[in-house]
Amino acid sequence: MFHPISAFIAWRYSLAGKHNSFISFINRVSVAGIALGLMALIVVVSVMNGFEAQLKSRILGLVPHIVVYQGDNSGATGSNLNGPEPAMLQQLPHVEKVTPYLETEGVLQSRTALRGVQLQGITPTSMTDSVLEQELKIGRLSDLSAGSFRVIISQALAGQLKVTTGDTLRVLIAGATVYTPFGRLPSQKLVTISGLHDVGSRLDDKIIFMNLADLNRLLRRPANASHDYRLFLNDAFEYQQTLTHLNQLNLKTDNWRERQGPLFDAVKMEGNMMFLMLTLIIAVAAFNIVSALVMVVTEKQGDIAILQTQGLSKGRIMRIFMLNGVFNGVKGALIGLLLGVVLTTQLNALLEFLGVSLVMGVQGAMIPIDLRWQQVAVYTVLSLALCFLASLYPAYRAMQTHPARALQND
């Protein structure tokens, strides 16, 4: 059977032989280091991906991706200025849905507490299949009918205010005022809690939802006043192209980056730093191959000289030791890839078996995991590339061996 001579000899050397147990040990340590580094990289990055995906789903499920303002939209008074048509906005890149929208800030008062909140005026049909509808624990979106002055709040906010469904709250809007015998007072209204949600984001206790028409009346705006538009994107992170088109139309806009950008920047930076740290661990393990190969080259000086005298070229000699390092890298990468994928997919089951709860999931028990095969492939190739680079110097040293000097010392 035909064997490429360089690959065959490299494979024999990669087994480290039984003649030098120390070289064998160094080889095994380098393989184990690459395997553990790649495994850790796959697991940690998959968890970071899952964490970022949860933030994206929960926070950006409540915060508008993009808001297009109509007219002046001062909040207390309406504007009949012409604005963009929904059909035109629907044609913009990455826009999945366009819905009427109003928002303002106010104060929510119960019998026991006060909380500053953001009021979002929505149409119930516009939020179907949203994270809000999916995480409704009590009530339905259809309960927010026009004129009912019902609201949906989070379970966290309900606990802070010590209220539940069916209870009434007083909403005060400082931006809209009314004249009374006691002077100018903030617009206020008693509203009824019709539903509770538990999205699980840090914005749960800061946002309440009510019907668009009810919020319009609460703001003391004319019934025919223009309202804003909320743009749902198929990917909130792909907002820039849509924003560019809106700026070309000279429309006043707001987007999630201006509201929650620093949080996602921090998560992204943390993920990048974890990737860098674990890649350096793999690099350290890969460069252990240098030590092992240098010792192999030193030990095999006589073998190298004999191969050269039998006509093996310097290029093939170099290829032997390059392939030797690559074979060790392949073994480590395959072991790390297998262990990383298995541990990632079974991580929650393993933690449950060990009785460890990291309190990261919606129910406080599951770790968010997003295993992306494209990333796994890139990390595996990166590990092999580092092993290849680590093999260049020892292979070059082997190529520079002089047969006469090597054989003279034997």
Side-chain angles (χ1 to χ4, degrees):
M1 182 179 294
F2 172 75
H3 295 284
I5 185 65
S6 298
F8 177 73
I9 297 175
W11 176 252
R12 293 293 300 270
Y13 283 172
S14 70
L15 299 179
K18 298 181 180 179
H19 302 291
N20 194 322
S21 59
F22 182 69
I23 294 178
S24 175
F25 172 75
I26 295 296
N27 269 332
R28 290 171 183 170
V29 166
S30 61
V31 170
I34 294 167
L36 291 175
L38 182 58
M39 178 191 70
L41 183 59
I42 292 173
V43 173
V44 171
V45 173
S46 296
V47 172
M48 292 299 297
N49 289 340
F51 180 59
E52 184 180 25
Q54 277 203 351
L55 284 179
K56 185 177 178 181
S57 171
R58 296 179 185 182
I59 293 182
L60 299 187
L62 297 180
V63 174
H65 297 168
I66 296 178
V67 176
V68 179
Y69 294 114
Q70 293 266 38
D72 60 4
N73 190 21
S74 59
T77 60
S79 172
N80 292 318
L81 298 176
N82 292 328
E85 294 296 328
M88 180 185 70
L89 298 176
Q90 187 71 56
Q91 302 302 317
L92 297 177
H94 304 293
V95 174
E96 193 174 67
K97 185 167 55 174
V98 178
T99 65
Y101 180 74
L102 279 179
E103 66 177 17
T104 189
E105 294 181 348
V107 175
L108 205 59
Q109 179 185 20
S110 69
R111 293 179 180 273
T112 59
L114 283 171
R115 288 292 182 274
V117 294
Q118 181 191 70
L119 289 86
Q120 291 191 7
I122 62 172
T123 55
T125 55
S126 68
M127 301 297 288
T128 54
D129 298 326
S130 66
V131 66
L132 175 63
E133 184 180 54
Q134 295 167 5
E135 299 300 335
L136 267 179
K137 305 304 180 183
I138 302 176
R140 299 170 299 177
L141 285 175
S142 58
D143 294 336
L144 300 183
S145 56
S148 64
F149 284 96
R150 295 175 180 173
V151 297
I152 292 177
I153 67 174
S154 69
Q155 290 182 340
L157 182 58
Q160 295 174 11
L161 298 176
K162 298 181 181 179
V163 293
T164 186
T165 53
D167 292 344
T168 58
L169 299 170
R170 183 178 299 276
V171 177
L172 298 94
I173 307 295
T177 58
V178 294
Y179 291 96
T180 70
F182 302 100
R184 194 172 181 180
L185 296 176
S187 175
Q188 55 183 291
K189 181 71 176 179
L190 290 176
V191 297
T192 304
I193 302 173
S194 66
L196 300 176
H197 71 82
D198 185 18
V199 174
S201 82
R202 67 191 188 99
L203 299 178
D204 276 10
D205 60 348
K206 297 177 177 63
I207 297 177
I208 69 172
F209 301 88
M210 64 189 308
N211 189 277
L212 179 71
D214 292 347
L215 183 57
N216 194 69
R217 290 177 59 186
L218 190 58
L219 288 171
R220 304 295 173 178
R221 306 172 77 234
N224 63 343
S226 61
H227 46 69
D228 306 328
Y229 287 108
R230 178 175 184 169
L231 275 57
F232 290 85
L233 306 182
N234 50 28
D235 185 353
F237 288 174
E238 299 293 336
Y239 73 99
Q240 193 61 57
Q241 188 178 1
T242 309
L243 204 60
T244 300
H245 283 75
L246 292 170
N247 290 336
Q248 291 173 352
L249 296 173
N250 294 320
L251 295 174
K252 184 181 178 183
T253 63
D254 190 12
N255 61 81
W256 68 267
R257 280 287 308 174
E258 297 178 3
R259 306 182 185 204
Q260 300 296 327
L263 172 63
F264 285 89
D265 288 341
V267 172
K268 189 68 174 178
M269 181 179 296
E270 184 178 358
N272 290 337
M273 291 304 300
M274 292 298 297
F275 170 77
L276 178 60
M277 291 170 56
L278 294 171
T279 301
L280 291 176
I281 292 175
I282 296 176
V284 170
F287 280 94
N288 281 338
I289 294 176
V290 176
S291 303
L293 286 184
V294 167
M295 287 187 287
V296 171
V297 169
T298 302
E299 182 192 17
K300 303 297 183 181
Q301 288 288 302
D303 294 357
I304 296 171
I306 293 172
L307 289 172
Q308 287 180 326
T309 58
Q310 291 181 345
L312 203 64
S313 66
K314 288 187 175 182
R316 288 191 174 185
I317 294 293
M318 184 175 181
R319 199 176 305 151
I320 288 173
F321 292 95
M322 287 176 59
L323 290 174
N324 187 1
V326 170
F327 286 157
N328 284 335
V330 168
K331 287 189 288 185
L334 289 178
I335 295 172
L337 174 63
L338 179 62
L339 291 178
V341 171
V342 171
L343 183 58
T344 300
T345 54
Q346 302 299 320
L347 185 58
N348 283 309
L350 178 62
L351 292 176
E352 184 179 0
F353 174 77
L354 296 176
V356 178
S357 176
L358 299 184
V359 196
M360 293 185 66
V362 177
Q363 304 300 328
M366 304 294 286
I367 294 178
I369 293 175
D370 183 8
L371 180 63
R372 302 176 185 175
W373 292 105
Q374 184 178 5
Q375 287 183 337
V376 172
V378 170
Y379 301 153
T380 304
V381 172
L382 177 62
S383 301
L384 294 176
L386 290 174
C387 294
F388 174 78
L389 293 175
S391 305
L392 290 177
Y393 174 72
Y396 176 78
R397 286 285 303 273
M399 183 182 70
Q400 297 301 314
T401 299
H402 297 283
R405 295 178 185 175
L407 292 175
Q408 183 180 7
N409 296 327
D410 283 351

